[in-house]
């Protein structure tokens, strides 16, 4: 052994760095609530460019810009502060989450740019290298490269992507096409916000964070590929506004009514326990409050069950409205493609436009 090396050796660092301790808010739970954003967007002048097929007016997942009669771009960005402790996982989750909005429009990702804020005085540069490595690997899994980006100094780590995708202008799946009779299909379990909050606060005594990371790092690519083979009328992904918040975007844009069967919604079991103990991110409470004007719950549902359905997700699943005669085939094909959590969770019905009813069973 080289004695010179020994001289300068530090005791091995046994306490791993915990990235969530550098963030006051985590993941999509840091998203500004809908009650804050919608009036702001309404104050801006309307978009008049006829090539903008989807803009800000319909609270959709991504913008769509038509280039020619058979080609349009899908444009979206998402970034947030650390939701998990390992930098590599954070990068992978942020990338999967940002890519998801392209899939949620029925598009195919082409390329991406990274958006980075980094506290270079508090954290070693190796942490940023790991975040970027996680994102690059996840992008490669989606078949694309991260081709550039922008990095600023910041008090907390921030990471995300701006993603560009492509789509045929006639095959854009917005939030506006849901029709009475459609079946609601969700492709990932909920409860991610509650579990990541528990982990950040050292209250994840069931060790549920590893399953949550597995769910959050799963691309929605395979689910989208299956769904696009069928007659999908409306499609979105479940992120910061929670299952019911994103469903509300669909019912409002489609001017339809929805019924959700609470006990059919795939849920990470630890999240049920934690929410019953009062663990939930601030964004989840804000979602439930905003949705009070839109959602009616069956009397049998406790406040905790309501919170779970409003839980702010990061890199959640796709929520699809599918023609009812195809629902069984869609579920069958999703499971065969490895989308094991996929479930039918309710339906679109005639009723007061925009509103949602949640039944106990
Ligand atoms: Co989305
Ligand atoms: Co988004
Ligand atoms: Co959509």
């Amino acid at each position: 052994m080289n004695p010179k090396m020994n001289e300068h050796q530090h005791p091995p660092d046994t306490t791993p760095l915990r990235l969530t301790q550098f963030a006051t808010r985590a993941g999509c739970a840091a998203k500004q609530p809908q009650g804050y954003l919608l009036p702001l967007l309404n104050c801006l002048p309307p978009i008049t460019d006829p090539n903008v097929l989807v803009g800000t007016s319909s609270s959709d997942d991504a913008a769509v810009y038509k280039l020619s009669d058979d080609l349009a771009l899908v444009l979206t960005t998402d970034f947030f502060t650390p939701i998990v402790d390992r930098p590599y996982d954070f990068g992978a989750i942020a990338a999967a989450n940002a890519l998801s909005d392209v899939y949620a429009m029925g598009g195919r990702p082409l390329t991406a740019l990274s958006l980075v804020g980094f506290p270079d005085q508090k954290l070693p540069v190796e942490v940023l290298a790991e975040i970027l490595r996680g994102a690059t690997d996840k992008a490669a899994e989606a078949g694309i490269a991260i081709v550039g980006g922008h990095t600023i100094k910041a008090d907390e780590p921030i990471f995300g992507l701006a993603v560009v995708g492509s789509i045929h202008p006639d095959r854009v799946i917005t939030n506006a096409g849901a029709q009475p009779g459609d079946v609601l299909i969700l492709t990932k379990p909920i409860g991610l916000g509650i579990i990541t909050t528990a982990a950040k606060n050292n209250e994840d005594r069931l060790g549920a964070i590893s399953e949550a990371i597995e769910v959050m790092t799963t691309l929605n690519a395979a689910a989208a590929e299956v769904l696009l083979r069928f007659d999908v009328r409306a499609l979105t992904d479940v992120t910061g506004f929670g299952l019911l918040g994103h469903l509300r975007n669909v019912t409002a844009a489609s001017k339809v009514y929805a019924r959700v069967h609470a006990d059919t919604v795939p849920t990470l079991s630890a999240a049920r326990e934690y929410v019953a103990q009062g663990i939930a991110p601030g964004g989840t409470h804000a979602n439930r409050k905003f949705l009070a004007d839109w959602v009616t719950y069956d009397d049998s549902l406790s406040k905790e069950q309501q919170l779970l359905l409003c839980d702010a997700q990061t890199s959640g699943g796709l929520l699809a409205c599918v023609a009812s005669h195809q629902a069984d085939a869609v579920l069958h094909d999703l499971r065969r493609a490895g989308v094991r959590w996929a479930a039918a969770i309710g339906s679109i019905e005639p009723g007061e436009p925009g509103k949602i009813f949640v039944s106990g069973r």
Side-chain angles (χ1 to χ4, degrees):
M1 190 176 282
N2 184 341
K4 248 186 184 168
M5 288 266 301
N6 256 345
E7 233 175 287
H8 296 281
Q9 223 170 33
H10 296 280
D13 191 357
T14 48
T15 42
L17 180 138
R18 293 195 58 201
L19 209 52
T20 55
Q21 303 311 304
F22 293 84
T24 40
R25 291 169 206 84
C28 284
K31 207 163 165 174
Q32 287 288 6
Q34 283 175 299
Y36 182 87
L37 281 177
L38 295 178
L40 263 181
L41 292 174
N42 288 339
C43 290
L44 297 172
I47 297 164
T48 53
D49 185 337
N51 291 318
V52 177
L53 303 184
V54 179
T56 52
S57 63
S58 58
S59 306
D60 220 307
D61 300 288
V64 179
Y65 190 88
K66 184 176 163 180
L67 294 176
S68 68
D69 284 345
D70 51 13
L71 185 63
L73 294 176
V74 182
L75 305 156
T76 182
T77 184
D78 259 304
F79 55 86
F80 43 71
T81 51
I83 177 112
V84 291
D85 285 325
R86 279 185 57 207
Y88 182 92
D89 293 336
F90 174 46
I93 291 166
N97 179 73
L99 282 156
S100 177
D101 280 324
V102 173
Y103 300 125
M105 300 306 288
R108 193 172 58 90
L110 292 174
T111 191
L113 301 168
S114 57
L115 306 167
V116 186
F118 197 70
D120 57 340
Q121 302 299 308
K122 294 185 206 164
L123 287 168
V125 68
E126 289 76 17
V127 170
L128 181 52
E130 276 295 285
I131 294 171
L132 292 170
R133 198 169 66 85
T136 303
D137 285 354
K138 194 47 66 179
E141 192 186 323
I144 69 161
I146 299 171
V147 294
H150 188 74
T151 305
I152 61 162
K153 290 172 187 287
D155 291 335
E156 297 181 16
I158 297 168
F159 185 76
L161 297 178
V163 187
V164 179
S166 67
I167 195 165
H168 191 289
D170 300 337
R171 287 184 215 128
V172 177
I173 310 177
T174 67
N175 291 346
Q179 296 167 25
D182 290 354
V183 172
L184 292 167
I185 290 177
L186 178 66
T187 67
K188 283 187 188 179
I190 61 168
L192 297 163
I194 290 161
I195 289 173
T196 51
T197 299
K200 179 174 152 73
N201 299 342
N202 294 317
E203 293 171 319
D204 178 23
R205 49 183 184 78
L206 300 170
I209 191 66
S210 24
E211 189 173 22
I213 290 171
E214 191 197 319
V215 171
M216 290 187 287
T217 53
T218 300
L219 285 174
N220 281 330
E225 200 191 307
V226 170
L227 287 166
L228 295 181
R229 296 204 293 262
F230 292 90
D231 194 8
V232 176
R233 270 76 177 264
L235 183 62
T236 191
D237 60 345
V238 177
T239 55
F241 304 142
L243 171 63
L244 295 181
H246 290 280
L247 177 57
R248 187 222 70 105
N249 286 348
V250 171
T251 56
S254 303
K255 301 184 176 61
V256 293
Y257 177 91
R259 177 184 292 263
V260 172
H261 306 288
D263 62 349
T264 62
V265 176
T267 304
L268 295 169
S269 56
R272 288 188 204 280
E273 281 199 38
Y274 296 162
V275 76
Q277 294 157 22
I279 301 170
T284 297
H285 287 278
N287 288 341
R288 179 172 169 271
K289 206 172 151 197
F290 170 77
L291 290 165
D293 291 342
W294 300 87
V295 182
T296 309
Y297 301 91
D298 185 86
D299 290 340
S300 66
L301 291 173
S302 65
K303 185 190 170 186
E304 288 69 33
Q305 286 171 299
Q306 297 176 18
L307 276 171
L308 197 45
L309 295 163
C310 299
D311 186 33
Q313 305 297 281
T314 298
S315 194
L318 294 174
L319 176 65
C321 298
V322 179
S324 63
H325 68 278
Q326 293 184 335
D328 287 343
V330 170
L331 286 170
H332 174 265
D333 284 13
L334 281 171
R335 295 203 183 105
R336 207 172 51 177
V339 188
R340 63 191 171 92
W341 287 97
I345 63 161
S347 54
I348 301 294
E349 294 181 2
E352 201 180 339
K355 300 286 172 89
I356 299 167
F357 179 74
V358 184
S359 65
R361 52 190 60 252

